[in-house]
């Protein structure tokens, strides 16, 4: 990076605003009047001044520091891909990069950190499409000559601010690394996942709650891809519980909108991958738009047979057992079923997780999960209470947005070492 004479000393401002990246020229552009505080480079800082005058920009120093790091990384990548003669123009390259984000950085005085970071990242993506060689054809698709970031750019740069990255299709075309260490008999046929920790993941990073849920969708996409490639026949995920209706109305509306968007946008990829979508739970409580998206997804994928993706939506294990008991009681009262015929197998067939058609035609059908994975916490949370009687449990010490191929691989290896005796002795 360009030399500067400022020592990397402790800043007098807040710890979140300490920076060790370049930025003196960047700061000097945004201080027409003497500032009330200065950054670690002892140069005027518009974003620090904004925090002393507005409460809406409380997180702006962090966004400012993040902008510096992204700018430095972008410049380093550009220089690595240019000949030495071009690198001699390092200072002018830096100024050009600064010019490209100047209008967005100036917004720090009136907007929050999330909006500023999102806007600056947008400009960096748009301005670097033709100069950076780090964007491969597998990461960028259908990139126009000009436009804002949703049209293309670097999908990995702003994953935290997108629900459905534009490069998702290309990532689905890149299968995960095979499970060479495990044979087919060691891979669970049915995996259930409690996807927990989206909101806490976002709060820990001082991001909007919706960003955490969107990152959770990204994590689920990766898990579905891995399960399809590794021979898992059924994946059941806990998307929205019966108890989640007790949350505030705004969060419930956000979740419903996100689920509807995910159902619609991921449908072409699910069809292409041979995934059959099924939804269990009390759908009478969800809005009409989400019910329509569920119906379209189930209809479009009903003939797929590579893998089942069962989404538990407005679902509760206790409620499911109660409804099954009511159905059994009705049939006994109507004379269609004898009390003596009621046993565990019969009762299981009245639960929402039972698929009569698949049970009679698919030898791989498994109503009870072989492995349950839960992130963030260590409890069942009213999920598949009947079906999990002899399921192996795996608790991952991370939040769901952090879950990916590596942790799923560790869970499968841990499962392969278990001795499943079902109450007997080996």
């Amino acid at each position: 990076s360009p030399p500067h004479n400022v020592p990397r000393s402790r800043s007098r401002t807040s710890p979140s605003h300490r920076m060790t990246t370049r930025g003196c020229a960047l700061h000097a552009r945004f201080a027409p009047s003497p500032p009330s505080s200065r950054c670690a480079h002892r140069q005027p800082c518009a974003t620090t001044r904004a925090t002393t005058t507005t409460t809406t920009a409380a997180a702006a120093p962090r966004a400012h520091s993040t902008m510096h790091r992204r700018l430095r990384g972008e410049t380093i990548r550009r220089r690595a891909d240019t000949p030495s003669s071009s690198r001699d123009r390092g200072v002018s390259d830096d100024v050009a990069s600064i010019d490209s984000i100047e209008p967005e950085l100036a917004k720090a005085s009136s907007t929050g950190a999330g909006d500023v970071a999102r806007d600056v990242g947008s400009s960096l993506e748009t301005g670097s499409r033709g100069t950076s060689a780090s964007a491969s054809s597998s990461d960028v698709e259908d990139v126009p000559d000009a436009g804002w970031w949703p049209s293309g750019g670097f999908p990995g740069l702003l994953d935290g601010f997108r629900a459905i990255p534009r490069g998702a299709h290309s990532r689905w075309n890149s299968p995960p690394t095979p499970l060479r260490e495990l044979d087919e008999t060691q891979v669970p046929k049915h995996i259930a996942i409690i996807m927990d920790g989206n909101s806490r993941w976002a709060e820990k990073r001082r991001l909007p709650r919706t960003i955490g849920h969107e990152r959770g969708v990204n994590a689920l996409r990766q898990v579905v891809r891995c399960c399809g490639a590794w021979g898992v026949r059924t994946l059941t995920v806990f998307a929205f519980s019966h108890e989640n209706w007790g949350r505030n109305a705004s969060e419930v509306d956000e979740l419903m909108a996100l689920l509807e968007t995910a159902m619609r946008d991921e449908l072409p990829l699910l069809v292409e991958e041979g995934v059959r979508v099924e939804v269990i739970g009390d759908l009478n409580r969800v809005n009409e738009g989400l019910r329509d998206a569920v119906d379209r997804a189930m209809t479009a994928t009903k003939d797929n047979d590579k893998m089942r993706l069962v989404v538990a939506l407005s679902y509760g294990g206790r409620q499911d057992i109660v409804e099954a008991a009511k159905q059994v009681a009705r049939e006994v009262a109507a004379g269609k079923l004898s009390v003596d015929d009621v046993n565990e197998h019969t009762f299981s067939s009245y639960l929402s997780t039972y698929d009569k058609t698949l049970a009679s035609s698919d030898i791989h059908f498994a109503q009870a999960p072989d492995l349950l994975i839960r992130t963030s916490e260590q409890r069942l949370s009213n999920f598949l209470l009947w079906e999990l009687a002899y399921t192996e449990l795996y608790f991952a010490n991370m939040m769901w947005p952090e879950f990916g191929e590596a942790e799923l691989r560790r869970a499968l290896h841990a499962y392969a070492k278990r001795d499943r005796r079902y109450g007997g002795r080996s």
Side-chain angles (χ1 to χ4, degrees), residues 138-139 155-156 159 165-175 221 225:
S138 62
D139 289 332
D159 280 346
R166 296 293 175 175
H169 190 276
S170 61
R171 286 198 286 272
W172 274 70
N173 290 337
S174 302
R221 183 190 301 111
R225 183 194 63 177

Side-chain angles (χ1 to χ4, degrees), residues 302-366:
K302 63 180 180 179
D303 296 326
N304 293 350
D305 57 2
K306 181 179 179 181
M307 190 186 78
R308 296 170 62 223
L309 174 60
V310 183
V311 181
L313 175 60
S314 184
Y315 171 87
R318 290 176 176 175
Q319 291 74 18
D320 196 22
I321 295 174
V322 169
E323 289 300 320
K326 289 180 179 179
Q327 293 183 41
V328 171
R330 292 190 193 101
E331 296 207 358
V332 170
K336 298 179 180 179
L337 182 66
S338 171
V339 174
D340 295 333
D341 294 335
V342 179
N343 52 36
E344 293 181 10
H345 178 73
T346 304
F347 188 82
S348 296
S349 65
Y350 287 89
L351 296 171
S352 62
T353 54
Y354 184 82
D355 190 315
K356 184 177 180 180
T357 303
L358 289 180
S360 60
S361 61
D362 188 354
I363 60 175
H364 298 290
F365 174 77

Side-chain angles (χ1 to χ4, degrees), residues 202-217:
E203 291 171 0
K204 183 178 180 180
R205 290 157 178 78
R206 299 185 181 180
L207 294 171
R209 186 175 52 234
T210 53
I211 300 299
H213 294 306
E214 291 169 359
R215 285 297 299 268
V217 173

Side-chain angles (χ1 to χ4, degrees), residues 48-240:
T48 304
R49 186 169 64 254
T51 59
T52 64
T53 58
T54 63
T55 58
T56 58
R62 176 182 288 103
H64 199 150
S65 180
T66 301
M67 296 170 200
H68 277 279
R69 290 195 297 270
R70 287 178 177 170
L71 177 60
R72 179 177 64 173
E74 176 65 22
T75 304
I76 292 174
R77 286 195 297 271
R78 289 171 54 189
R79 288 180 176 179
D81 297 322
T82 56
S84 57
S85 59
S86 300
R87 288 187 218 133
D88 295 337
R89 305 193 309 271
V91 175
S92 61
D93 287 345
D94 291 345
V95 173
S97 297
I98 294 170
D99 289 337
S100 67
I101 69 168
E102 178 173 344
E104 283 72 31
L105 185 58
K107 295 181 182 179
S109 60
S110 60
T111 60
D115 294 335
V116 174
R118 178 163 54 249
D119 292 342
V120 171
S122 303
S123 289
L124 286 179
E125 289 191 48
T126 304
S128 59
R129 286 172 187 161
T131 58
S132 176
S134 63
S136 63
S137 60
S138 62
D139 289 332
V140 182
E141 58 176 25
D142 300 330
V143 180
D145 294 335
W148 206 240
W149 66 264
S151 299
F154 295 89
L157 185 61
L158 290 176
D159 280 346
F161 300 97
R162 304 184 189 182
I164 311 296
R166 296 293 175 175
H169 190 276
S170 61
R171 286 198 286 272
W172 274 70
N173 290 337
S174 302
T177 305
L179 284 173
R180 297 188 179 91
E181 305 87 352
L182 304 179
D183 57 43
E184 184 178 354
T185 60
Q186 294 177 303
V187 177
K189 298 304 177 187
H190 186 174
I191 296 179
I193 301 180
I194 300 177
M195 306 178 294
D196 188 34
N198 292 338
S199 297
R200 290 190 297 276
W201 180 90
E203 291 171 0
K204 183 178 180 180
R205 290 157 178 78
R206 299 185 181 180
L207 294 171
R209 186 175 52 234
T210 53
I211 300 299
H213 294 306
E214 291 169 359
R215 285 297 299 268
V217 173
N218 295 344
L220 177 58
R221 183 190 301 111
Q222 187 177 17
V223 169
V224 171
R225 183 194 63 177
C226 292
C227 289
W230 293 343
V232 178
R233 300 291 301 182
T234 303
L235 174 64
T236 302
V237 295
F238 207 3
F240 191 87

Side-chain angles (χ1 to χ4, degrees), residues 34-50:
S36 58
S37 59
R38 294 175 180 270
C39 72
H41 286 293
R42 304 299 190 267
Q43 294 292 338
C45 176
T47 57
T48 304
R49 186 169 64 254

